[in-house]
Amino acid sequence: MSQFKLSNLIAATYTPLNADGRLNLQQVGPLVEHLLGSGVTGLYVCGSTGEGMSLSCEDRRSVTDAFVTAAAGRVPVIVQVGHNSLDDAKQLAAHAQQVGADAISATCPSYFKVGTVGGLVDSMAEVASGAPELPFYYYHIPMLTGSKIDMVPFLTEGVARIPNLVGLKYTDTALHEFQECFELQDGRFDVVWGCDEMLLGALATGAQAAIGSTYNIAAPLYARLIEAFEKGDLQEARRLQGLSIQMIRTINLYPFHPAMKAVLKMKGIDVGGCRLPQGKLTAEEAKSLQSKLQSIGFFDWS
Ligand code: MN9
């Protein structure tokens, strides 16, 4: 279990929806083929990007089944099972294990904030025990959960209590904390970077894998960035990261995930809009987003 490591670019997958907001599982296959064809090396299902928190548990199970089936063992599938109800989270974890997912991950509860390292370890021990055979990644995303627990003591205390704890999905911008987690106990933890617009900084700090939403629409750009970094061509790596920053800034002029889903449609994969409260872009918004992306050359370099 402690040997389990993710590598390269893992897409935080979008959940395909119909116009009425129901699941459109027919589109999972085409989405997965698009992702694997663009060089993605893993799928992170039902996270922030996949609107896990906006889906019922039944929907989350159906989405998990569909992605595990579509991936067919070609790349690892990590299922995000976090929930305000730890009992539901634990049951989602058990389901992921039962249907053959490769790993689980969970945010902490966020309505009642987790205030201490001990409270976080207790909560995650509960969730991870639902899938004892699968590697577990805590999903650290303080901007959304509101829980700013220090990840260094969480890992050292957590590993003693959570036998399947292998690492983190680290979605924060504190590179120094990321590095510390990464280097802890001779690098035993798999700490995966989650902030696409800072991938270069994370690579410089030692990152081996990243999970993110924009790998759905621009994996080849990031693959070139990684290649340039590995060759020591920092100027080129910076130029490519600059394009990603420009792309994200443009998409952020609109509600982010609905806009990302609109971009996937522009690339030929119709995954619908988002559920409320995020909603969807109007046809006019989608058109203006497309022309802004055209003007920065996105469709040529992504
Ligand atoms: O965790 C994503 N974060 C959120 C992953 O969705 C909040 C990231 O991939 C961001 O979407 C990305 C763009 O800001 O870095």
Side-chain angles (χ1 to χ4, degrees), residues 45-46 59-69 77 79-80 92 95-96 99 101:
V45 175
C46 289
D59 281 351
R60 288 170 74 164
R61 283 190 263 270
S62 304
V63 171
T64 299
D65 293 348
F67 276 97
V68 169
T69 304
V77 177
V79 181
Q80 199 288 118
L92 288 169
H95 170 264
V99 300

Side-chain angles (χ1 to χ4, degrees), residues 104-187:
I104 53 161
S105 178
T107 53
C108 60
S110 60
Y111 183 78
F112 295 118
K113 306 296 176 215
V114 181
T116 61
V117 171
L120 183 59
V121 171
D122 288 347
S123 305
M124 292 304 107
E126 180 80 15
V127 177
S129 73
E133 312 290 317
L134 295 188
F136 173 74
Y137 291 79
Y138 172 58
Y139 181 5
H140 180 58
I141 180 158
M143 70 169 116
L144 291 183
T145 61
S147 284
K148 297 178 173 44
I149 304 293
D150 186 342
M151 285 297 102
V152 174
F154 169 74
L155 286 174
T156 46
E157 290 176 35
V159 79
R161 292 269 318 284
I162 309 171
N164 49 344
L165 176 67
V166 298
L168 304 173
K169 172 180 184 322
Y170 190 92
T171 304
D172 199 2
T173 52
L175 275 174
H176 57 92
E177 186 192 33
F178 173 73
Q179 178 172 351
E180 236 186 312
C181 292
F182 206 78
E183 291 174 354
L184 217 55
Q185 300 181 8
D186 293 325

